[in-house]
Amino acid sequence: MQTAGSVGRRGTGGSWLWAVMGTLAVLGMTAGAPAFAEEGEEQPPITRVEEDWVLDIGAPDPNTDSPQIINVISYCGCITGAHAVFELNHRTLPTYNAGGMQLQTWISEYLYDSRVYPRYEKLDTADEEIRYTLSMALPYSDWLRFEVKNGTSNTWGAFGGQGYLRSTMWAPYAHLEHYDPALSAKNSRIAFAAHRVKKFALKEVRYYAADGSLIKTDQTERVVHAHEAQAAE
């Protein structure tokens, strides 16, 4: 069952790589100075960001492949540059498949890579809580890595961190200072059957320097979706 939540963007033609490289080069040149620190403060550049997500399932329905969940995380406060899409309980590339999960990396409208976790079960457990971390990092010069880590669930067990849901792309970025958690919250969503999800929220964001030291923790809860069952009359 394919739904409106499927990602339909696709780079085509032999010139897609040159378009991608041009887009990245322009974004790298226009990134500007770090904007994260307050005036007068000094801090090391941010080179890794981690988002902790919590998904509280209500009553899933495997017969309709529902619910279906999508996360989006971007290097900047836009999706015209490098960004990742994480799909739960469905996979849309290269064609739609129910169940499981998939990490896709994009540069504007051009698909760069897609990775699938090798468990394909559908959500089928009422009141299941799923937790996971979306990580974006500059592991070394001119490379940007997206990864799903620390996943816990009843349906798929522990997931992430093994390399299945990891994608690294060339990107001329020196820092991640223009990352914006508001973009993640705005573009992440329940793509199908939202009434089957009790809550979907970004619980915490952590910012790290190149040496692994923690720069800042943002514990603002950003609720993407909340559903309350109708009281019986």
Side-chain angles (χ1 to χ4, degrees):
M1 176 179 180
Q2 189 163 0
T3 74
S6 302
V7 176
R9 301 170 300 173
R10 193 73 59 86
T12 58
S15 62
W16 77 271
L17 181 58
W18 293 107
V20 165
M21 293 174 66
T23 299
L24 284 174
V26 169
L27 289 170
M29 289 187 291
T30 59
F36 186 84
E38 297 294 333
E39 185 176 355
E41 292 184 358
E42 292 186 4
Q43 67 175 31
I46 296 167
T47 60
R48 176 162 53 100
V49 174
E50 293 188 344
E51 299 180 342
D52 288 345
W53 287 85
V54 177
L55 175 65
D56 290 327
I57 302 297
D61 181 7
N63 294 319
T64 58
D65 313 339
S66 63
Q68 296 176 8
I69 300 91
I70 292 177
N71 279 102
V72 176
I73 183 172
S74 172
Y75 123 90
C76 63
C78 62
I79 54 174
T80 56
H83 63 283
V85 175
F86 179 48
E87 298 177 332
L88 277 164
N89 206 38
H90 68 302
R91 295 152 285 142
T92 56
L93 294 175
T95 58
Y96 175 82
N97 287 279
M101 59 191 78
Q102 183 176 62
L103 178 69
Q104 305 166 3
T105 50
W106 295 81
I107 302 170
S108 187
E109 296 184 354
Y110 298 92
L111 175 67
Y112 187 89
D113 189 20
S114 64
R115 300 296 177 96
V116 173
Y117 188 70
R119 287 191 59 172
Y120 312 113
E121 296 92 335
K122 299 180 184 181
L123 289 172
D124 193 20
T125 302
D127 301 319
E128 176 177 0
E129 181 184 80
I130 302 171
R131 291 178 175 265
Y132 52 92
T133 298
L134 292 182
S135 174
M136 177 175 59
L138 298 168
Y140 27 83
S141 179
D142 292 336
W143 291 94
L144 178 64
R145 174 179 294 161
F146 294 98
E147 184 173 10
V148 180
K149 306 192 296 186
N150 306 322
T152 59
S153 69
N154 292 332
T155 299
W156 302 291
F159 61 90
Q162 308 98 330
Y164 295 111
L165 297 172
R166 178 190 302 153
S167 179
T168 303
M169 64 170 65
W170 177 82
Y173 305 146
H175 56 73
L176 300 176
E177 308 286 344
H178 298 287
Y179 157 82
D180 186 355
L183 180 132
S184 299
K186 178 181 179 181
N187 288 276
S188 299
R189 60 196 183 276
I190 311 300
F192 178 58
H195 64 286
R196 297 188 179 278
V197 175
K198 293 188 289 186
K199 187 176 180 180
F200 183 36
L202 174 56
K203 297 288 289 185
E204 181 175 293
V205 181
R206 293 178 299 280
Y207 301 82
Y208 296 89
D211 63 3
S213 60
L214 180 65
I215 296 174
K216 179 181 178 179
T217 299
D218 179 359
Q219 295 182 319
T220 304
E221 182 181 55
R222 296 170 172 85
V223 178
V224 171
H225 168 82
H227 175 77
E228 294 184 3
Q230 297 294 322
E233 296 183 358

